[in-house]
Every structure is written in structure tokens, then in C-alpha cells.
Amino acid sequence: MHKKLIVIGGGPAGLAAAVSAVENGLSPEDICILERDSEPGGILNQCIHAGFGLHRFGEELTGPEYAGRYIEMAKAAGLTITVNAMVLSLTDDKKVTYVSPETGYVTCSADAVILAMGCRERTRGALNIPGSRPAGIFTAGTAQRYVNMEGYMPGKRVVILGSGDIGLIMARRMTLEGAKVLCVCELMPYSGGLARNIVQCLEDFDIPLYLSHTVTAIGGKDRVESVTVAQVDENRRPIPGTEVTYDCDTLLLSVGLIPENELTRGAGVAIDRMTNGAFVNQNRETEIDGIYACGNVLHVHDLVDFVSEEAAIAGRAAAEKILGKTAPAVHSVSVRTGFGVRYTIPERIDIPAEPAEEVRLFFRVTDIYKKVRLTITDGNGNVLVKKAKSAVAPGEMESLSLSVESLKALADAKCETITVALEEM
Amino acid sequence: METRELTCVVCPAGCKITVTLEDGKVTDVKGQTCPRGKTYAQNEVTHPVRTLTTTVLLENAAAGTKTLPVKTNKPLSKELLFAAMDELAGFAVKAPVTVGTVLLKDFMEPGVDLVACKTVH
Ligand SMILES: Cc1cc2nc3c(=O)[nH]c(=O)nc-3n(C[C@H](O)[C@H](O)[C@H](O)COP(=O)(O)OP(=O)(O)OC[C@H]3O[C@@H](n4cnc5c(N)ncnc54)[C@H](O)[C@@H]3O)c2cc1C
Ligand code: SF4
């Protein structure tokens, strides 16, 4: 079997990429979307709270409503979504192998592949909390699926480790459903979650948030019976004597997400150690020609609106490549991270002879800084772009745009690297 | 005169808003980036409201889905959130249902409806 375009993953990224490919001239019959779950929509199906779509649709939607909009758009574009289809492997020459109850084991080749597999949660194993391994320890996302989709509660008295948005949202959700959330503790001196979630998920319900705290012990043999929390010093080591033990039956972990890149690695696509996703150019094309990546599989996003936007870029680029409309690059520039910047997307800019549009660089900072200037400098230290900000935080994506003129100048000067950095003012 | 510092929860921007009150009446609101922030701040110091999102039981769904995500179409008085959850404890909806369908009219408060957030066949 052969398709012009295969999209792996039917979450918001995969759907937006496929819709964009159709908008840019590809016929929907030439596109195959493979989704392992029984319905499209990805993780949004379990995110029943509101807060999605303000940028994209100008109104505040719940996760299922946002997903529903894209499922409708995909249908309207004439696309079919193959559900219950689990992709097992991808090769560097773009052969995709999947299994599904209807079709069995299928290998399909493609002119282009878009990776949109999303991310998964870090688990306790990656964290090494001492103690035995009783039942009652869940990632916050697993608990979210149990409560919101399967319809049952994982526990009654809960401690949450990690103050990312999923942990905060679950603190409120479990409370509304009748559980007692004893506290949320966060290793860092600041919360990774949005300020609004601290107010409406914790303060509204008088749930304490302990910053610079971690879990040091889990009691109980068959089921969690207690969780011990201690304060940490500036090196994030527990301070003896500060331990407090809570009687509880459940520990939720909300300690971060990791892009799901097994297929990507299997195809030999180079992975950026900082994003845990593929290295990409501004079209979200990986280092293998015709393989693109977008959404949480590329880097962890906080807003699904930006996932849709990024996926549209990948979808358009894949359609243009398939239809032979891509202008070849005459020069490549690699994007480096300077002071205060953890990673950038893209990591590489491929400049055609006549660049037609600006390139927007997305990045995350390493820490909370007040009063800063964000800059892009070329290899000779000339500042190409600068922007002042009153505050930046690792939880929020920043961006700077390189104009068409700057791109031309970089190509003309054969400049090989540019650097994105932050200066304190 | 009294001032209160609030974090607007209406959108992810989370603006810091300062409200000035005199004899329990709002005289000034500062720090919001948009008009919705002002409404939020006025409500928050007089009569706090929140949109409720939750799930209800779903029967008869083709794919065996057991729950239906729902929300209030307008924010509800904050103190009614737990009562609303109790009210919905035994409430079940039969598939098929379409996103946006009003499931309970004037739910808990006049003018606030409970609506479906998902289309299920
Ligand atoms: C538990 C959790 C809660 C979140 N809560 C929020 C939130 O409250 N607000 C917010 O803005 N963002 C939230 N996020 C981030 C959210 O995931 C993104 O905003 C967005 O959903 C990412 O879209 P995506 O399409 O990249 O990934 P996903 O939505 O994860 O979709 C990926 C899809 O790919 C499919 N897939 C994966 N591997 C394969 C394979 N091998 N074969 C076939 N199909 C495959 C999956 O089944 C899934 O449907 C949350 C993330 C997680 C993990
Ligand atoms: S004031 Fe407006 S922009 Fe600021 S958080 Fe509230 S709704 Fe959002």
C-alpha cells in the first residue's frame, strides 16, 4: 500500500496537520491518519476542564470541545481517521507498519510522514522515591483518565507531588468528586503551573501548596497508607527534621511529560537532548527528508492552541513537498541557545534563495527572570532581533521572529549559527 | 478604604488585578488587560463565580463510553459548586448526544444551563 502522506497520531496535532495539508492542495484520499485509540482527539478527551482555544477560536472551550472542533474540521475536509490502528515501526525510507483489529498487520509506504504521537507522563520509576511499591500511586494523567473517562475514583485521601497544571487540575477534580486532597508539594521554589490554576484549583478549596518540598517516603505494603513530605534545601536535598507524614491512600505524580519518540528513534531521526524531540527546521521537518514532527512529540507545549499552529506549519510543508512546491534551501543556519535559554524550536533554519516569509523561533527560558531583553545574535555578535519583557518563566513559551531581510542577510553572509539568549537589564 | 490583590482566572494570562473598595463598594480596578478581567474582579470581591466542568454518567453509547463531559454555560456562584456536584451524582444521559445540547435548564441558578461538551453516538 502507498499513501502520499501518513500522519501518525490523531490528537490535536495530527488532526491540524492533516487539515492543513488538505488546505494546501493535497487531496484527502491521499492522506492516512493512524490513531491507536478508539476515538480521535488525543489527550484532550480526558481534559474536561475549560481553558482551551482562546487563541485559536477566541473562546474558552473544554478539551473535548476543542478536539470536537478539529474532528469536525477533519470530516469537513474529507479526511478519514483510521482508529484502533497502532503504529509499530517507521523506517528512514518512510515505511509505516501498523496493526489494527480490522486490517491486521499492514505496511504502508509514503512520500511524507508527519509524527504527531504526543507525549506521556514521567513515572515514579524515573524519580526514585524510596519505599515499597504499594497500589495507590498514579501519574496525575492516569488518574485523570480514570475519573473523567472510566468514571471511577482512584482514592479518597490524596497527596500530589508536582505542581504542574495537570496536578493542579486533578487537585480540584478529585476534591469536587469528594476526595480530600491534603496538599500539593513542589520540589522547585516556584510552581510550574499557571497562576489561574493555583487560584481556582488550590486556593478555592483551601488546598495547601508547599514549594521547595518533596516526598521522601511512602508507607504501606499493599496500598499506600501514608506519604512523608519534607522541605528541601537550595540543592534540592531534603532537610532532616522537616518531615511531615500524611495519612492517605493515594499519591498522584505530576512531575512532567516526555515526548513519545520510540518510533522516531527507530527511524534513526536525530533527537535533541533538550527537547527530547526531533531536531527540526522551520517547517518542522526532521533531519530525514520528508519526515516531519509537531505537537507534544516535538516538544512539550502548555497550550493546545500552539500545538494546532505548529501542526499547521508541518501539514503545509509536507503538502508543498509532496506537490513539488518546496523551494530548495541555499543555506542552513543552526540555532544555538545562549544564556538563560533552555531550547529553541526550530533548531535549524533552511533558507531558500528567495525567502518568502519570516521565521518565528519558539523557546523556553531556564529560570524565572525579571526585566530582561530577549535577543537573536548572528555569528559575529550583531543583534538581529531584540525584545524587552518584564518577566519570563520556564513554564511559558517565548518567541522572536526573524524577518525576510534578516534571513537574506544571513544567507548572503553565509552565517552558520545564530544564538537566542536573554540579558538581564 | 481597602485594596485587594487578585489573580484573574478568566484566561491563561492570569493578570494581577488590584481592586479598591470603599464601604464594600468597588471604586477602582487596576491591572487587567481586558474588560473580562474587570468583570471578574468586581464579581470576585462581591459574589465569586466559577464555571463548573465535570462528567455525568452516559448510557447506551456505541463505543461503550461511560462518561459524558459537561459544563455550565455560564459561571455559577462559587458556593454552589459542591451542591451542584451532589445534584449530578445520580444524573445519567442517554446517547446519542450532540455537543452544546442543554441537558439541564436553569441548573442550580436561573439562567445557568448544564450543557454537553462532546458528541457521542
Ligand atoms: C495527561 C495530560 C494532561 C494535559 N492537560 C492539558 C491541559 O489541561 N491543558 C493544555 O493546554 N494542555 C494539556 N496537556 C498537553 C496536551 O497534551 C497538548 O496541549 C495537546 O493535547 C497535545 O496534542 P498532540 O496531538 O501533540 O498530542 P496528544 O493529544 O497526546 O495526541 C497524540 C495522539 O497520538 C496517538 N498515538 C501515539 N502513539 C501512537 C502510535 N504508535 N500509533 C498510533 N497512534 C499513536 C495517541 O493515542 C494520541 O491520540 C496535557 C497533556 C497530558 C499528557
Ligand atoms: S484580565 Fe483579561 S487577559 Fe488578563 S487574565 Fe483576565 S481575561 Fe485574561
Side-chain angles (χ1 to χ4, degrees):
Chain A
M1 205 162 76
H2 184 85
K3 283 275 177 187
K4 285 192 174 151
L5 174 63
I6 295 178
V7 178
I8 308 178
L15 295 174
V19 168
S20 159
V22 174
E23 283 167 359
N24 286 283
L26 214 57
S27 157
E29 293 87 63
D30 292 331
I31 304 174
C32 171
I33 308 173
L34 299 172
E35 168 55 53
R36 68 179 168 198
D37 213 330
S38 58
E39 60 179 346
I43 211 84
L44 291 183
N45 285 318
Q46 70 183 55
C47 300
I48 61 156
H49 57 279
F52 304 84
L54 268 167
H55 293 269
R56 179 64 188 78
F57 295 110
E59 56 181 309
E60 198 182 42
L61 303 172
T62 63
E65 288 173 309
Y66 189 98
R69 296 270 174 111
Y70 268 94
I71 294 168
E72 287 307 314
M73 281 157 70
K75 272 195 198 141
L79 288 157
T80 42
I81 305 163
T82 310
V83 293
N84 296 319
M86 169 85 185
V87 176
L88 301 175
S89 72
L90 166 70
T91 62
D92 56 0
D93 57 353
K94 298 184 275 290
K95 286 197 181 67
V96 173
T97 302
Y98 65 93
V99 280
S100 93
E102 285 95 62
T103 56
Y105 188 89
V106 181
T107 297
C108 185
S109 58
D111 297 342
V113 173
I114 298 179
L115 306 173
M117 291 91 76
C119 59
R120 64 162 167 263
E121 291 173 286
R122 285 182 201 273
T123 53
R124 186 186 160 205
L127 277 161
N128 306 321
I129 303 170
S132 61
R133 290 175 189 271
I137 306 172
F138 306 88
T139 62
T142 303
Q144 191 178 44
R145 190 177 172 99
Y146 285 159
V147 180
N148 294 345
M149 298 186 70
E150 317 286 339
Y152 62 87
M153 286 285 282
K156 292 199 181 83
R157 288 175 65 81
V158 188
V159 169
I160 300 179
L161 173 61
S163 65
D165 286 315
I166 310 169
L168 300 179
I169 295 281
M170 281 315 288
R172 172 177 64 184
R173 185 74 187 120
M174 299 281 287
T175 305
L176 281 173
E177 288 289 354
K180 173 79 187 157
V181 177
L182 299 157
C183 67
V184 175
C185 54
E186 167 62 54
L187 184 65
M188 303 303 283
Y190 51 83
S191 163
L194 294 169
R196 72 185 308 224
N197 285 337
I198 296 193
V199 174
Q200 63 185 359
C201 298
L202 300 187
E203 290 173 10
D204 271 6
F205 303 100
D206 299 319
I207 301 169
L209 169 62
Y210 299 124
L211 299 174
S212 298
H213 276 70
T214 193
V215 170
T216 53
I218 299 168
K221 196 159 160 287
D222 298 323
R223 175 83 199 191
V224 173
E225 285 170 9
S226 68
V227 166
T228 304
V229 170
Q231 202 179 331
V232 296
D233 61 19
E234 57 276 19
N235 299 317
R236 297 183 215 158
R237 277 190 305 252
I239 304 172
T242 62
E243 296 87 356
V244 177
T245 300
Y246 295 89
D247 286 330
C248 61
D249 55 25
T250 304
L251 173 66
L252 296 190
L253 304 171
S254 173
V255 291
L257 303 168
I258 335 177
E260 187 141 342
N261 271 306
E262 284 65 27
L263 296 175
T264 322
R265 286 200 182 83
V269 172
I271 302 279
D272 182 343
R273 234 170 19 90
M274 297 314 293
T275 57
N276 286 309
F279 279 102
V280 289
N281 70 5
Q282 72 272 30
N283 295 329
R284 308 301 187 264
E285 187 173 16
T286 67
E287 294 194 346
I288 297 185
D289 194 54
I291 299 184
Y292 299 78
C294 56
N296 277 357
V297 78
L298 183 57
H299 59 129
V300 176
H301 294 69
D302 355 82
L303 286 178
V304 71
D305 303 66
F306 295 150
V307 168
S308 304
E309 194 182 313
E310 178 172 87
I313 296 174
R316 183 183 85 171
E320 286 176 351
K321 168 145 281 173
I322 293 165
L323 300 170
K325 290 199 257 177
T326 309
V330 293
H331 182 69
S332 287
V333 180
S334 58
V335 184
R336 299 259 169 91
T337 54
F339 176 77
V341 174
R342 192 152 62 89
Y343 73 73
T344 68
I345 291 285
E347 291 92 342
R348 184 179 87 244
I349 303 175
D350 290 331
I351 307 175
E354 288 300 327
E357 54 192 34
E358 60 172 35
V359 169
R360 194 157 160 214
L361 292 172
F362 292 88
F363 56 96
R364 274 186 201 279
V365 298
T366 51
D367 212 333
I368 289 184
Y369 294 97
K370 296 255 172 331
K371 290 227 164 63
V372 294
R373 201 180 355 248
L374 305 172
T375 59
I376 305 179
T377 44
D378 69 11
N380 300 321
N382 303 314
V383 178
L384 304 174
V385 185
K386 58 173 188 262
K387 178 158 99 183
K389 291 236 35 179
S390 56
V392 290
E396 271 163 58
M397 194 84 73
E398 297 295 336
S399 75
L400 288 173
S401 293
L402 273 176
S403 65
V404 169
E405 293 71 44
S406 298
L407 294 171
K408 274 194 189 136
L410 287 170
D412 289 344
K414 299 259 174 291
C415 181
E416 295 198 341
T417 62
I418 56 172
T419 304
V420 180
L422 170 160
E423 289 164 25
E424 288 179 278
M425 298 201 289
Chain B
M1 200 178 84
E2 183 202 347
T3 59
R4 279 180 61 187
E5 307 286 330
L6 303 174
T7 302
C8 179
V9 302
V10 178
C11 90
C15 298
K16 298 269 176 271
I17 304 184
T18 309
V19 187
T20 312
L21 290 148
E22 240 160 285
D23 302 326
K25 284 220 162 60
V26 178
T27 52
D28 193 26
V29 182
K30 275 205 192 73
Q32 72 277 20
T33 325
C34 78
R36 289 183 304 163
K38 188 166 183 181
T39 315
Y40 169 78
Q42 277 162 341
N43 279 333
E44 195 63 10
V45 294
T46 51
H47 170 230
V49 293
R50 296 286 185 268
T51 298
L52 175 68
T53 57
T54 184
T55 53
V56 296
L57 292 172
L58 183 68
E59 292 167 355
N60 213 20
T65 324
K66 297 176 206 76
T67 59
L68 177 72
V70 297
K71 69 172 181 187
T72 55
N73 65 344
K74 288 195 197 75
L76 196 68
S77 301
K78 193 166 119 180
E79 74 271 9
L80 290 179
L81 287 179
F82 283 104
M85 291 299 291
D86 287 343
E87 190 72 24
L88 292 176
F91 181 66
V93 174
K94 272 207 168 56
V97 22
T98 314
V99 61
T101 305
V102 174
L103 304 170
L104 292 171
K105 211 161 167 46
D106 296 327
F107 171 63
M108 305 305 290
E109 277 179 319
V112 180
D113 299 339
L114 189 78
V115 298
C117 293
K118 191 172 176 175
T119 299
V120 186
H121 301 291

